Structure formats: structure tokens, C-alpha cells
Amino acid sequence: MSATATAMPAAASAVTPAPKSATVRTSVRVPLRFADGYSTDADVMTFIGLVDGKEHLLLGLGDWRVALEESRDGGEAPLMRPHSECLTGDVFGSERCDCGPQLREAVERIAHSGGFLAYLRQEGRGIGLYAKLDAYALQDAGLDTYEANRAVGHADDERDYSMVAQMLAAVGADRIRLLSNNPDKAAQLEGLGVRVEAQVPTAVHLTAANARYLAAKRDVTGHLLELA
Ligand SMILES: [Zn+2]
């Protein structure tokens, strides 16, 4: 594979070398309405040139253009959350994890202050949907969420946030306030050249069904979670 860097990505092809930059492909306004009735509009952006070729989205929420202008003028950086796809939690309301409530919370908080939510197609911390469900079966046999990932042949967390840095650069956001409890997201984004000026914690969405999952996130990967 050639390592030659080109400024303009070639026409969409799955085998082109990873480009350094991505560009916005389309932006379309989508009215969102959640199950609890909360609604807002999102500018849903698609991209050309994302490193892994997957169909990741960036949602511009609230007055995100104003937030960007204020950021460029030295004001507060826009609020931003990278949210990894969770079909069971985001779509079906599974209580095995806290993804659905985190997504719902993030959209409202970001819409309120103006900013971005990246919706990333890396299910199950990057292992995929079937493997995640296999890991659930092992969790029912007593393993925690990370032990179960390892038992099905995967790492604790296989996510990579390079495409987030690409998407933020494409819209001109070079500094953010990161809405996340996950220290790895902050570290990776900083390493990718995004200035993470603050890490803003999300609420704790604790239920009887997800208590062990949240405890493992806190104890194994250092998530900032206060569990009663
Ligand atoms: Zn989930």
C-alpha cells in the first residue's frame, strides 16, 4: 500500500490509504424526537475520507455555528460527545448498559449549549454486535464486561477515535469540552491534536440491571462514576 499523502481524497474506495483529512459530504437537518417526548433538530453531517471507511455521523446540535464562532474568538469551547453505537441500548432501550440514557442526556445538554455529538459505528466498544451479544452470555455466567470481551478474543476496548478528530477538523472545531466519563476518550483525542479543555461528566444512569456493568467501567477502565 502506498503511503503517499494526497490533499484530495480520491473517489470513495475501501482500499485507498488513510487520508489525513476528511471533508463534509452532506449536511441535512433532521428533527429528533425521543421516547420521553424531548425533541430538537440536528444538522446530521456525513463525510468523505474517514480513516476506517465506516459511515460515522457528526450531529451539529443547538446553535453549534455560534458556539464555533465564540470558540474561535477565545470563548468557551463547544461541548462535544463521541457516542459509540449501541443497537441494544440506543434503539431498543436495553437496561444492560447506560448507552441509551447517556445518548438522550447528551443530545439535550449539547443542544442547550451548542456543539456536536459524533455517532460512531463501533458497536460493543469496537468488537461488533454479535461478539457483544456473545459477551453478554458470558457476563451472565459471571464475567464482567471486560473479562467477557477478552474471553471472546477481543481487547477490553478496541475503539479508536481518529475519525472524531477528522470530523472535528472538517467543521473547524480544534478545541472542545468533552462530555464523557471515559478518560481514554480524552487521552486519545488529545493525542490526535484535539484540545480537550475540559472533561464534563455525564450523569450516572444506574439501574439494577446495569450496576455490575457500571462498576466494571469504574474499576477496570477508570470511568469517572460515583455509584451509590
Ligand atoms: Zn450499550
Side-chain angles (χ1 to χ4, degrees), residues 39-136:
S39 63
T40 189
D41 288 338
D43 290 313
V44 178
M45 287 169 259
T46 67
F47 293 84
I48 293 169
L50 297 180
V51 285
D52 60 3
K54 292 187 181 163
E55 294 183 326
H56 307 289
L57 301 176
L58 188 69
L59 276 63
L61 293 162
D63 290 330
W64 62 270
R65 289 184 180 84
V66 173
L68 273 183
E69 277 170 30
E70 288 175 356
S71 176
R72 285 188 200 113
D73 292 343
E76 200 171 51
L79 193 60
M80 191 270 155
R81 174 174 175 79
H83 184 91
S84 296
E85 173 176 47
C86 175
L87 182 86
T88 46
D90 296 343
V91 177
F92 296 113
S94 164
E95 293 193 314
R96 291 193 73 125
C97 59
D98 58 344
C99 304
Q102 281 201 315
L103 179 63
R104 163 68 183 80
E105 176 197 354
V107 168
E108 182 168 1
R109 289 178 68 176
I110 297 168
H112 184 255
S113 65
F116 303 96
L117 183 132
Y119 194 79
L120 307 174
R121 315 304 299 280
Q122 40 189 5
E123 176 77 49
R125 292 195 300 274
I127 71 175
L129 181 59
Y130 277 19
K132 181 180 87 170
L133 293 171
D134 291 346
Y136 277 176

Coordinates of all heavy atoms in Angstrom, one line a residue, residues 39-136:
S39 N -37.6 16.8 22.2 CA -37.3 17.0 20.7 C -36.3 18.1 20.5 O -36.3 19.1 21.2 CB -38.6 17.1 19.9 OG -39.2 18.3 20.3
T40 N -35.6 18.0 19.4 CA -34.7 19.1 18.9 C -34.3 18.8 17.5 O -34.7 17.7 17.0 CB -33.4 19.1 19.8 OG1 -32.7 20.3 19.5 CG2 -32.5 17.9 19.6
D41 N -33.7 19.7 16.8 CA -33.2 19.5 15.5 C -31.7 19.2 15.5 O -31.0 19.8 16.2 CB -33.5 20.7 14.6 CG -35.0 20.8 14.3 OD1 -35.7 19.8 14.4 OD2 -35.4 22.0 14.0
A42 N -31.3 18.4 14.5 CA -29.9 18.1 14.4 C -29.5 18.4 12.9 O -30.2 18.0 12.0 CB -29.5 16.7 14.8
D43 N -28.3 19.0 12.7 CA -27.7 19.0 11.4 C -26.8 17.8 11.3 O -25.7 17.7 11.9 CB -26.9 20.3 11.2 CG -27.8 21.5 11.1 OD1 -28.8 21.4 10.3 OD2 -27.6 22.5 11.8
V44 N -27.3 16.8 10.6 CA -26.6 15.5 10.5 C -25.6 15.5 9.3 O -26.0 15.7 8.2 CB -27.6 14.3 10.4 CG1 -26.8 13.0 10.3 CG2 -28.5 14.3 11.6
M45 N -24.3 15.4 9.7 CA -23.3 15.5 8.6 C -22.7 14.2 8.3 O -22.4 13.4 9.2 CB -22.2 16.5 9.1 CG -22.6 17.9 9.1 SD -21.5 19.0 9.9 CE -22.3 19.2 11.5
T46 N -22.4 13.9 7.0 CA -21.7 12.8 6.5 C -20.4 13.3 5.9 O -20.2 14.4 5.6 CB -22.5 12.0 5.5 OG1 -22.6 12.8 4.3 CG2 -23.9 11.6 6.0
F47 N -19.4 12.3 5.8 CA -18.1 12.7 5.4 C -17.4 11.9 4.3 O -17.8 10.7 4.1 CB -17.2 12.6 6.7 CG -17.6 13.6 7.8 CD1 -18.6 13.3 8.6 CD2 -17.0 14.8 7.9 CE1 -19.0 14.2 9.6 CE2 -17.4 15.7 8.8 CZ -18.4 15.4 9.7
I48 N -16.5 12.5 3.7 CA -15.6 11.8 2.7 C -14.2 11.7 3.4 O -13.8 12.8 3.9 CB -15.5 12.6 1.4 CG1 -16.9 12.5 0.7 CG2 -14.5 12.0 0.5 CD1 -17.0 13.5 -0.5
G49 N -13.6 10.6 3.4 CA -12.3 10.5 3.8 C -12.0 10.0 5.2 O -10.9 10.1 5.7
L50 N -13.0 9.5 5.9 CA -12.8 9.0 7.3 C -11.9 7.8 7.2 O -12.0 6.9 6.4 CB -14.2 8.7 7.9 CG -15.1 9.9 8.1 CD1 -16.4 9.4 8.8 CD2 -14.4 11.0 8.9
V51 N -11.0 7.7 8.2 CA -9.9 6.7 8.2 C -10.4 5.3 8.0 O -9.7 4.5 7.3 CB -9.0 6.8 9.4 CG1 -8.2 8.0 9.4 CG2 -9.8 6.7 10.7
D52 N -11.5 4.9 8.6 CA -11.8 3.4 8.5 C -12.9 3.2 7.5 O -13.4 2.0 7.4 CB -12.3 2.9 9.9 CG -13.5 3.7 10.5 OD1 -14.0 4.5 9.8 OD2 -13.9 3.4 11.6
G53 N -13.3 4.2 6.8 CA -14.3 4.0 5.7 C -15.7 3.7 6.2 O -16.6 3.4 5.4
K54 N -16.0 3.8 7.5 CA -17.3 3.5 8.0 C -18.2 4.8 8.0 O -17.7 5.9 7.9 CB -17.2 2.9 9.4 CG -16.6 1.5 9.5 CD -16.7 0.9 10.8 CE -16.0 -0.4 10.9 NZ -15.7 -0.9 12.2
E55 N -19.5 4.6 8.1 CA -20.4 5.7 8.0 C -20.7 6.3 9.3 O -21.8 6.3 9.9 CB -21.7 5.2 7.3 CG -21.5 4.7 5.9 CD -22.7 4.3 5.1 OE1 -23.7 3.7 5.8 OE2 -22.8 4.5 3.9
H56 N -19.7 7.0 9.8 CA -19.8 7.7 11.1 C -20.6 9.0 10.8 O -20.4 9.6 9.7 CB -18.5 8.0 11.7 CG -17.6 6.8 11.9 ND1 -17.9 5.8 12.8 CD2 -16.5 6.4 11.2 CE1 -17.0 4.9 12.7 NE2 -16.1 5.2 11.8
L57 N -21.3 9.5 11.8 CA -22.0 10.8 11.7 C -21.5 11.8 12.7 O -21.1 11.5 13.8 CB -23.5 10.5 11.9 CG -24.2 9.5 11.0 CD1 -25.7 9.4 11.5 CD2 -24.2 10.0 9.6
L58 N -21.7 13.1 12.3 CA -21.5 14.2 13.3 C -22.8 14.9 13.3 O -23.3 15.4 12.3 CB -20.3 15.1 12.9 CG -20.0 16.1 13.9 CD1 -19.4 15.5 15.2 CD2 -19.0 17.2 13.4
L59 N -23.4 15.1 14.5 CA -24.6 15.8 14.6 C -24.3 17.2 15.2 O -23.7 17.3 16.3 CB -25.6 15.1 15.6 CG -26.5 14.0 15.0 CD1 -25.6 12.9 14.5 CD2 -27.5 13.5 16.1
G60 N -24.6 18.3 14.5 CA -24.5 19.6 15.0 C -25.8 19.9 15.7 O -26.8 19.9 15.1
L61 N -25.7 20.3 17.0 CA -26.9 20.5 17.8 C -26.9 21.9 18.4 O -25.9 22.5 18.7 CB -26.8 19.4 19.0 CG -27.0 18.0 18.6 CD1 -26.6 17.1 19.7 CD2 -28.4 17.7 18.2
G62 N -28.1 22.4 18.5 CA -28.3 23.7 19.1 C -27.6 24.7 18.1 O -27.5 24.5 16.9
D63 N -27.2 25.8 18.7 CA -26.5 26.9 17.9 C -25.0 26.6 17.8 O -24.2 27.3 18.2 CB -26.7 28.3 18.6 CG -28.1 28.7 18.5 OD1 -28.8 28.4 17.5 OD2 -28.5 29.5 19.5
W64 N -24.8 25.4 17.1 CA -23.4 25.0 17.0 C -22.5 25.9 16.2 O -21.3 26.0 16.5 CB -23.3 23.5 16.5 CG -23.8 23.3 15.1 CD1 -25.1 23.0 14.7 CD2 -23.1 23.4 13.9 NE1 -25.2 22.9 13.4 CE2 -24.0 23.1 12.8 CE3 -21.7 23.7 13.6 CZ2 -23.6 23.1 11.5 CZ3 -21.4 23.6 12.2 CH2 -22.3 23.4 11.2
R65 N -23.1 26.6 15.2 CA -22.3 27.6 14.5 C -21.8 28.8 15.4 O -20.7 29.2 15.3 CB -23.0 28.1 13.2 CG -23.1 27.0 12.2 CD -23.8 27.5 10.9 NE -24.0 26.5 9.9 CZ -25.0 25.7 9.8 NH1 -25.9 25.7 10.7 NH2 -25.0 24.8 8.8
V66 N -22.8 29.2 16.2 CA -22.4 30.3 17.1 C -21.4 29.8 18.1 O -20.4 30.5 18.4 CB -23.7 30.8 17.8 CG1 -23.4 31.8 18.9 CG2 -24.7 31.4 16.9
A67 N -21.6 28.6 18.6 CA -20.6 28.0 19.6 C -19.2 28.0 18.9 O -18.2 28.3 19.6 CB -21.0 26.7 20.0
L68 N -19.1 27.6 17.7 CA -17.8 27.6 17.0 C -17.2 29.0 16.9 O -16.0 29.2 17.1 CB -18.0 27.0 15.6 CG -17.9 25.5 15.4 CD1 -18.0 25.2 13.9 CD2 -16.6 24.9 16.0
E69 N -18.1 30.0 16.5 CA -17.6 31.3 16.4 C -17.0 31.8 17.7 O -16.0 32.4 17.8 CB -18.7 32.3 15.9 CG -18.8 32.3 14.4 CD -20.1 33.0 14.0 OE1 -20.5 33.9 14.7 OE2 -20.7 32.6 12.9
E70 N -17.8 31.6 18.8 CA -17.4 32.0 20.1 C -16.1 31.3 20.5 O -15.2 32.0 21.1 CB -18.5 31.7 21.1 CG -19.6 32.7 21.0 CD -20.8 32.4 21.9 OE1 -20.7 31.4 22.6 OE2 -21.8 33.2 21.9
S71 N -15.9 30.1 20.1 CA -14.7 29.3 20.4 C -13.5 30.0 19.7 O -12.4 30.1 20.3 CB -14.9 27.9 20.0 OG -13.7 27.2 20.2
R72 N -13.7 30.3 18.4 CA -12.6 30.9 17.7 C -12.2 32.3 18.2 O -11.1 32.7 18.1 CB -13.0 31.1 16.2 CG -13.0 29.7 15.5 CD -13.2 30.0 14.0 NE -13.7 28.7 13.4 CZ -14.9 28.5 12.8 NH1 -15.8 29.5 12.8 NH2 -15.2 27.3 12.3
D73 N -13.2 33.0 18.8 CA -12.9 34.3 19.4 C -12.4 34.2 20.8 O -12.3 35.2 21.5 CB -14.2 35.1 19.4 CG -14.7 35.5 18.0 OD1 -13.8 35.4 17.1 OD2 -15.8 35.9 17.8
G74 N -12.1 33.0 21.3 CA -11.5 32.8 22.6 C -12.5 32.5 23.7 O -12.1 32.4 24.9
G75 N -13.7 32.3 23.3 CA -14.7 32.0 24.3 C -14.7 30.5 24.7 O -13.7 29.8 24.4
E76 N -15.7 30.0 25.3 CA -15.8 28.6 25.8 C -15.8 27.7 24.5 O -16.4 28.0 23.5 CB -17.1 28.4 26.6 CG -17.1 27.2 27.5 CD -18.3 27.2 28.4 OE1 -19.4 27.4 27.9 OE2 -18.1 27.1 29.6
A77 N -15.1 26.6 24.7 CA -15.1 25.6 23.6 C -16.4 24.9 23.5 O -17.1 24.7 24.6 CB -13.9 24.6 23.9
P78 N -16.8 24.4 22.3 CA -18.1 23.8 22.2 C -18.1 22.4 22.9 O -17.1 21.7 23.0 CB -18.3 23.6 20.7 CG -16.9 23.8 20.1 CD -16.1 24.6 21.0
L79 N -19.3 22.1 23.5 CA -19.5 20.8 24.1 C -19.6 19.7 23.1 O -20.2 19.9 22.0 CB -20.8 20.8 25.0 CG -21.0 19.7 26.0 CD1 -19.9 19.7 27.0 CD2 -22.4 19.9 26.7
M80 N -18.9 18.6 23.3 CA -18.9 17.5 22.3 C -18.8 16.2 22.9 O -18.1 16.0 23.9 CB -17.6 17.8 21.5 CG -17.5 16.9 20.2 SD -16.7 15.4 20.4 CE -17.4 14.5 19.1
R81 N -19.6 15.2 22.4 CA -19.5 13.8 22.9 C -19.3 12.9 21.7 O -20.1 12.9 20.8 CB -20.8 13.5 23.6 CG -20.8 12.0 24.0 CD -22.0 11.6 24.9 NE -22.1 10.2 25.1 CZ -21.3 9.6 26.0 NH1 -20.5 10.3 26.8 NH2 -21.4 8.3 26.2
P82 N -18.3 12.0 21.8 CA -18.2 10.9 20.9 C -19.1 9.7 21.5 O -18.8 9.3 22.6 CB -16.7 10.5 20.9 CG -16.1 11.5 21.8 CD -17.1 12.1 22.6
H83 N -20.1 9.3 20.8 CA -21.0 8.3 21.3 C -20.9 7.0 20.4 O -21.2 7.1 19.2 CB -22.5 8.7 21.4 CG -23.4 7.8 22.0 ND1 -23.7 7.7 23.3 CD2 -24.1 6.7 21.4 CE1 -24.5 6.8 23.6 NE2 -24.8 6.1 22.5
S84 N -20.5 5.9 21.0 CA -20.3 4.7 20.2 C -21.6 4.0 20.1 O -22.3 3.8 21.1 CB -19.3 3.8 20.8 OG -18.0 4.5 20.8
E85 N -22.0 3.6 18.9 CA -23.2 2.9 18.6 C -23.5 1.8 19.5 O -22.6 1.0 19.8 CB -23.1 2.4 17.2 CG -24.2 1.5 16.7 CD -24.0 1.1 15.2 OE1 -22.9 0.7 14.8 OE2 -25.0 1.2 14.5
C86 N -24.7 1.7 20.0 CA -25.1 0.5 20.8 C -26.5 0.2 20.4 O -27.5 0.8 20.9 CB -25.0 0.9 22.3 SG -25.7 -0.4 23.4
L87 N -26.7 -0.7 19.5 CA -28.0 -1.0 19.0 C -29.0 -1.4 20.1 O -30.1 -0.9 20.1 CB -27.9 -2.2 18.0 CG -29.3 -2.5 17.3 CD1 -29.6 -1.6 16.1 CD2 -29.4 -4.0 16.9
T88 N -28.6 -2.3 21.0 CA -29.5 -2.8 22.0 C -29.9 -1.6 23.0 O -31.0 -1.5 23.4 CB -28.8 -3.9 22.8 OG1 -27.5 -3.5 23.1 CG2 -28.8 -5.2 22.0
G89 N -28.9 -0.8 23.3 CA -29.2 0.3 24.3 C -29.9 1.5 23.6 O -30.8 2.1 24.1
D90 N -29.3 2.0 22.5 CA -29.8 3.2 21.8 C -31.2 3.0 21.2 O -32.0 3.9 21.2 CB -28.8 3.6 20.7 CG -27.4 4.0 21.2 OD1 -27.3 4.2 22.4 OD2 -26.5 4.0 20.4
V91 N -31.4 1.8 20.6 CA -32.6 1.6 19.8 C -33.7 0.9 20.6 O -34.8 1.3 20.6 CB -32.3 0.8 18.5 CG1 -33.6 0.5 17.7 CG2 -31.3 1.6 17.6
F92 N -33.3 -0.2 21.3 CA -34.3 -1.0 22.0 C -34.4 -0.7 23.5 O -35.2 -1.3 24.1 CB -33.9 -2.5 21.8 CG -34.0 -2.9 20.3 CD1 -32.8 -3.2 19.6 CD2 -35.2 -2.9 19.6 CE1 -32.9 -3.6 18.3 CE2 -35.2 -3.2 18.3 CZ -34.1 -3.6 17.6
G93 N -33.6 0.2 24.0 CA -33.8 0.6 25.4 C -33.3 -0.5 26.4 O -33.7 -0.6 27.5
S94 N -32.3 -1.3 25.9 CA -31.7 -2.3 26.8 C -31.2 -1.7 28.1 O -30.6 -0.6 28.1 CB -30.5 -3.0 26.2 OG -29.8 -3.7 27.1
E95 N -31.5 -2.4 29.2 CA -31.0 -1.9 30.5 C -29.7 -2.5 30.9 O -29.3 -2.4 32.1 CB -32.1 -2.1 31.6 CG -33.3 -1.2 31.3 CD -34.3 -1.1 32.5 OE1 -34.6 -2.2 33.0 OE2 -34.7 0.0 32.8
R96 N -29.1 -3.3 30.1 CA -27.9 -3.9 30.4 C -26.7 -2.9 30.4 O -25.7 -3.2 31.0 CB -27.5 -5.0 29.4 CG -28.4 -6.2 29.5 CD -27.8 -7.4 28.7 NE -26.7 -8.0 29.4 CZ -26.6 -9.3 29.8 NH1 -27.6 -10.1 29.5 NH2 -25.5 -9.7 30.4
C97 N -26.9 -1.8 29.8 CA -25.9 -0.8 29.8 C -26.5 0.6 30.0 O -27.8 0.7 30.1 CB -25.1 -0.8 28.4 SG -26.2 -0.6 27.0
D98 N -25.8 1.7 29.9 CA -26.3 3.0 30.1 C -26.3 3.8 28.9 O -26.4 5.1 28.9 CB -25.6 3.7 31.3 CG -24.1 3.8 31.0 OD1 -23.5 3.1 30.1 OD2 -23.4 4.6 31.7
C99 N -26.1 3.2 27.7 CA -25.9 3.9 26.5 C -27.1 4.8 26.1 O -26.9 5.9 25.7 CB -25.5 3.0 25.3 SG -24.1 2.0 25.7
G100 N -28.3 4.2 26.1 CA -29.5 4.9 25.7 C -29.7 6.2 26.5 O -29.8 7.3 26.0
P101 N -29.7 6.1 27.9 CA -29.8 7.3 28.7 C -28.7 8.3 28.5 O -28.9 9.5 28.5 CB -29.8 6.8 30.1 CG -30.3 5.4 30.0 CD -29.8 4.9 28.7
Q102 N -27.5 7.8 28.2 CA -26.4 8.7 28.0 C -26.6 9.5 26.7 O -26.3 10.7 26.6 CB -25.0 8.0 27.9 CG -24.5 7.6 29.3 CD -23.0 7.3 29.3 OE1 -22.5 6.6 28.4 NE2 -22.3 7.9 30.2
L103 N -27.0 8.8 25.7 CA -27.3 9.4 24.4 C -28.4 10.5 24.5 O -28.2 11.7 24.1 CB -27.7 8.4 23.4 CG -28.0 8.9 22.0 CD1 -26.8 9.5 21.3 CD2 -28.6 7.8 21.1
R104 N -29.4 10.1 25.2 CA -30.6 11.1 25.4 C -30.1 12.3 26.2 O -30.4 13.4 25.8 CB -31.7 10.3 26.2 CG -32.7 11.2 26.8 CD -33.6 11.9 25.8 NE -34.5 12.7 26.5 CZ -34.3 13.9 27.0 NH1 -33.1 14.5 26.8 NH2 -35.2 14.6 27.6
E105 N -29.3 12.1 27.3 CA -28.8 13.2 28.1 C -27.9 14.1 27.2 O -28.0 15.3 27.3 CB -28.1 12.6 29.3 CG -27.4 13.7 30.1 CD -26.3 13.2 31.1 OE1 -26.1 11.9 31.2 OE2 -25.6 14.0 31.7
A106 N -27.0 13.4 26.5 CA -26.0 14.2 25.7 C -26.7 15.1 24.7 O -26.3 16.2 24.5 CB -25.0 13.2 25.1
V107 N -27.7 14.6 24.0 CA -28.3 15.4 22.9 C -28.9 16.6 23.5 O -28.7 17.7 23.0 CB -29.3 14.6 22.2 CG1 -30.2 15.5 21.3 CG2 -28.7 13.5 21.3
E108 N -29.6 16.5 24.7 CA -30.2 17.7 25.3 C -29.1 18.7 25.8 O -29.3 19.9 25.6 CB -31.1 17.3 26.4 CG -31.8 18.5 27.0 CD -33.0 18.1 27.9 OE1 -33.2 16.9 28.1 OE2 -33.6 19.1 28.5
R109 N -28.1 18.1 26.5 CA -27.1 19.1 27.0 C -26.3 19.8 25.9 O -26.0 21.0 26.0 CB -26.2 18.3 27.9 CG -26.8 17.9 29.2 CD -25.9 17.1 30.1 NE -24.9 17.9 30.7 CZ -24.0 17.4 31.6 NH1 -24.1 16.1 32.0 NH2 -23.0 18.1 32.0
I110 N -26.0 19.1 24.8 CA -25.3 19.7 23.8 C -26.2 20.7 23.0 O -25.7 21.8 22.7 CB -24.7 18.6 22.8 CG1 -23.7 17.7 23.6 CG2 -24.0 19.3 21.6 CD1 -23.3 16.5 22.8
A111 N -27.4 20.3 22.8 CA -28.3 21.2 22.1 C -28.5 22.5 22.9 O -28.6 23.6 22.3 CB -29.7 20.5 21.9
H112 N -28.5 22.4 24.2 CA -28.6 23.6 25.1 C -27.5 24.6 24.9 O -27.7 25.8 24.8 CB -28.7 23.1 26.5 CG -29.0 24.2 27.5 ND1 -28.1 24.8 28.3 CD2 -30.2 24.9 27.7 CE1 -28.6 25.8 29.0 NE2 -29.9 25.9 28.6
S113 N -26.2 24.0 24.8 CA -25.1 25.0 24.8 C -24.5 25.1 23.3 O -23.7 26.0 23.1 CB -24.0 24.5 25.7 OG -23.5 23.3 25.3
G114 N -25.0 24.3 22.4 CA -24.4 24.4 21.1 C -23.2 23.5 21.0 O -22.2 23.8 21.7
G115 N -23.2 22.5 20.1 CA -22.0 21.7 20.0 C -22.3 20.5 19.1 O -23.1 20.5 18.2
F116 N -21.5 19.4 19.4 CA -21.5 18.2 18.5 C -21.7 16.9 19.2 O -21.1 16.7 20.3 CB -20.2 18.2 17.7 CG -20.0 19.5 16.9 CD1 -19.2 20.5 17.4 CD2 -20.6 19.7 15.7 CE1 -19.0 21.7 16.7 CE2 -20.4 20.8 15.0 CZ -19.6 21.8 15.5
L117 N -22.4 16.0 18.6 CA -22.4 14.6 19.0 C -21.9 13.8 17.8 O -22.5 13.8 16.8 CB -23.8 14.1 19.5 CG -23.8 12.7 20.0 CD1 -24.5 12.6 21.4 CD2 -24.4 11.7 19.0
A118 N -20.8 13.0 18.0 CA -20.4 12.1 17.0 C -21.0 10.8 17.3 O -20.9 10.3 18.4 CB -18.8 12.0 17.0
Y119 N -21.7 10.2 16.3 CA -22.3 8.9 16.4 C -21.4 7.9 15.7 O -21.4 7.9 14.4 CB -23.7 8.9 15.9 CG -24.5 7.6 16.4 CD1 -25.0 7.6 17.7 CD2 -24.6 6.5 15.6 CE1 -25.6 6.4 18.2 CE2 -25.3 5.4 16.0 CZ -25.8 5.3 17.3 OH -26.4 4.2 17.8
L120 N -20.7 7.1 16.4 CA -19.6 6.2 15.9 C -20.1 4.8 15.7 O -20.6 4.2 16.6 CB -18.4 6.3 16.8 CG -18.0 7.8 17.1 CD1 -16.9 7.8 18.2 CD2 -17.5 8.5 15.9
R121 N -19.8 4.3 14.5 CA -20.2 2.9 14.2 C -19.2 1.9 14.7 O -18.6 1.2 14.0 CB -20.4 2.8 12.7 CG -21.1 4.0 12.1 CD -22.5 4.2 12.7 NE -23.4 3.1 12.5 CZ -24.0 2.8 11.4 NH1 -23.9 3.6 10.3 NH2 -24.8 1.8 11.3
Q122 N -19.0 1.9 16.1 CA -18.2 0.9 16.7 C -18.9 0.3 17.9 O -18.7 0.6 19.0 CB -16.8 1.5 17.0 CG -16.8 2.9 17.6 CD -15.4 3.4 17.7 OE1 -14.4 2.9 17.3 NE2 -15.3 4.6 18.4
E123 N -19.8 -0.6 17.5 CA -20.6 -1.3 18.4 C -19.8 -2.2 19.4 O -18.8 -2.7 19.1 CB -21.5 -2.3 17.6 CG -22.4 -3.2 18.3 CD -23.7 -2.5 18.9 OE1 -24.3 -1.7 18.1 OE2 -24.0 -2.7 20.1
G124 N -20.3 -2.2 20.6 CA -19.7 -3.1 21.6 C -18.2 -2.8 21.9 O -17.4 -3.6 22.0
R125 N -17.9 -1.5 22.1 CA -16.5 -1.0 22.3 C -15.6 -1.5 21.2 O -14.5 -1.8 21.4 CB -16.0 -1.4 23.7 CG -16.7 -0.7 24.8 CD -15.9 -0.8 26.1 NE -15.7 -2.1 26.5 CZ -16.6 -2.8 27.3 NH1 -17.7 -2.2 27.7 NH2 -16.3 -4.1 27.6
G126 N -16.2 -1.6 20.0 CA -15.4 -1.9 18.8 C -15.4 -3.4 18.4 O -14.8 -3.7 17.4
I127 N -16.0 -4.2 19.1 CA -15.9 -5.7 18.8 C -17.1 -6.1 17.9 O -17.0 -7.2 17.3 CB -15.9 -6.6 20.1 CG1 -17.2 -6.6 20.8 CG2 -14.8 -6.1 21.0 CD1 -17.2 -7.6 22.0
G128 N -18.1 -5.3 17.7 CA -19.2 -5.7 16.8 C -20.4 -6.3 17.6 O -20.3 -6.6 18.8
L129 N -21.5 -6.3 16.9 CA -22.8 -6.6 17.6 C -22.9 -8.1 18.0 O -23.2 -8.4 19.2 CB -23.9 -6.3 16.7 CG -25.3 -6.5 17.2 CD1 -25.6 -5.7 18.5 CD2 -26.4 -6.1 16.2
Y130 N -22.5 -9.0 17.2 CA -22.6 -10.4 17.5 C -21.7 -10.7 18.7 O -22.1 -11.4 19.6 CB -22.3 -11.3 16.3 CG -23.5 -11.5 15.4 CD1 -24.6 -10.7 15.4 CD2 -23.5 -12.6 14.5 CE1 -25.6 -10.9 14.5 CE2 -24.5 -12.8 13.6 CZ -25.6 -11.9 13.6 OH -26.6 -12.2 12.7
A131 N -20.5 -10.2 18.6 CA -19.5 -10.5 19.6 C -19.9 -9.9 21.0 O -19.7 -10.5 22.0 CB -18.1 -10.0 19.2
K132 N -20.6 -8.7 20.9 CA -21.1 -8.1 22.1 C -22.2 -9.0 22.7 O -22.2 -9.2 24.0 CB -21.7 -6.7 21.8 CG -22.2 -6.0 23.1 CD -22.8 -4.7 22.8 CE -24.2 -4.7 22.4 NZ -24.9 -3.4 22.3
L133 N -23.0 -9.6 21.9 CA -24.1 -10.4 22.5 C -23.5 -11.7 23.0 O -24.0 -12.3 24.0 CB -25.1 -10.7 21.4 CG -25.9 -9.4 21.0 CD1 -26.8 -9.7 19.8 CD2 -26.8 -8.9 22.2
D134 N -22.4 -12.2 22.3 CA -21.7 -13.4 22.9 C -21.2 -13.1 24.3 O -21.2 -13.9 25.2 CB -20.6 -13.8 22.0 CG -21.1 -14.4 20.6 OD1 -22.3 -14.7 20.5 OD2 -20.2 -14.5 19.7
A135 N -20.6 -11.9 24.4 CA -20.0 -11.4 25.6 C -21.1 -11.3 26.7 O -20.8 -11.6 27.9 CB -19.2 -10.1 25.5
Y136 N -22.3 -10.9 26.3 CA -23.4 -10.8 27.3 C -23.7 -12.2 27.9 O -23.9 -12.3 29.1 CB -24.7 -10.3 26.6 CG -24.8 -8.8 26.4 CD1 -25.9 -8.3 25.8 CD2 -23.8 -7.9 27.0 CE1 -26.0 -6.9 25.6 CE2 -24.0 -6.5 26.8 CZ -25.1 -6.0 26.1 OH -25.2 -4.7 26.0

